[in-house]
Amino acid sequence: MKSRFIFRNRKIRFREADYVEKHYIRDGKAIIPIRLNSISELYMKHDFKDLDLSDEVSAYIEEIAYIIPLKYPIVLELHCPEISEDEQQRIRKVIKNNYGMDIDDKDYDVRVTNQKCIFLFILGTILLLAAFAIEGKLSEFIEEFLYIAGWVAIWEMCENLLFDNVKKRTERLNKLQLYDSEVTFIFDR
């Protein structure tokens, strides 16, 4: 009985930093290996112009990049059949374009959130000032409603600024790390 208690309550000695260091960091760079049986696996299935990364490849890259500290430059190491130098340059451009569009989307989201915060601040301030101005002149219900609505608007603004924007900026940094990544090719035979 005592051994089961000890087994359940022992400390887990797993550190994500050690895992990343062991499996992904080489010579001061984070290497993300990507195995492709054919180059067509890199692109979306129905994208006949081969302009968008496939969801599977993109999700894999982002999942690994998420745990890599920002201090390490990322190298996307594509293990694939041999391709021409022109195709290699095209793939590098497609990867940059995909993550560039993601960065632009994150920037847009931050701008929209900031505009929403300005609106909520103005609305909350107006509601609180109106509640203060009519204090004792109208019904207590209207007065309390204005106070509550004003504080809710201010609280929502703070939540957007402090939590949502921080999350979006962190996601943007991860996308920027991938945008700046180096793409290398290892040709499998």
Side-chain angles (χ1 to χ4, degrees):
M1 180 108 165
K2 187 176 180 180
S3 65
R4 280 186 20 197
F5 178 76
I6 292 171
F7 180 72
R8 280 191 296 160
N9 292 318
R10 70 186 168 133
K11 292 193 180 214
I12 297 173
R13 300 190 194 286
F14 178 81
R15 288 195 33 193
E16 187 176 272
D18 293 338
Y19 177 81
V20 169
E21 189 75 30
K22 180 180 177 183
H23 294 286
Y24 296 106
I25 307 301
R26 246 185 309 173
D27 301 325
K29 294 182 178 182
I31 310 296
I32 299 177
I34 304 162
R35 177 172 297 141
L36 301 170
N37 294 323
S38 72
I39 292 301
S40 63
E41 291 177 356
L42 186 63
Y43 304 110
M44 294 291 269
K45 185 178 178 182
H46 299 290
D47 181 15
F48 72 94
K49 289 186 178 182
D50 294 337
L51 297 175
D52 293 319
L53 290 179
S54 74
D55 291 338
E56 295 86 16
V57 171
S58 184
Y60 168 74
I61 292 170
E62 290 173 23
E63 185 177 328
I64 302 300
Y66 178 78
I67 62 174
I68 293 174
L70 293 173
K71 67 181 180 180
Y72 294 111
I74 291 179
V75 176
L76 301 176
E77 192 176 78
L78 297 174
H79 296 260
C80 60
E82 194 163 341
I83 55 174
S84 68
E85 188 64 37
D86 290 341
E87 184 65 20
Q88 291 176 31
Q89 289 304 324
R90 187 180 177 313
I91 289 171
R92 287 183 179 105
K93 195 179 288 185
V94 165
I95 290 172
K96 272 218 183 292
N97 288 342
N98 272 268
Y99 290 112
M101 286 188 293
D102 288 347
I103 291 168
D104 191 49
D105 288 346
K106 294 298 175 193
D107 288 342
Y108 176 76
D109 290 345
V110 168
R111 282 194 308 272
V112 167
T113 302
N114 288 340
Q115 290 171 354
K116 182 178 171 184
C117 288
I118 290 169
F119 171 75
L120 288 170
F121 177 74
I122 292 170
L123 178 67
T125 303
I126 290 171
L127 289 172
L128 289 173
L129 289 174
F132 184 73
I134 65 166
E135 195 168 315
K137 296 178 184 164
L138 292 176
S139 78
E140 193 174 315
F141 174 76
I142 294 173
E143 203 177 298
E144 290 296 319
F145 176 77
L146 290 174
Y147 275 122
I148 291 170
W151 282 116
V152 167
I154 298 290
W155 178 260
E156 184 70 21
M157 178 212 61
C158 290
E159 182 182 342
N160 284 329
L161 276 178
L162 298 176
F163 299 114
D164 292 347
N165 262 1
V166 169
K167 180 182 174 190
K168 289 173 186 170
R169 288 172 198 243
T170 303
E171 289 171 355
R172 184 188 184 282
L173 284 175
N174 286 338
K175 301 288 184 181
L176 188 59
Q177 188 181 22
L178 289 169
Y179 178 81
D180 290 336
S181 67
E182 177 186 342
V183 180
T184 60
F185 295 87
I186 296 179
F187 301 122
D188 298 331
R189 305 229 179 242

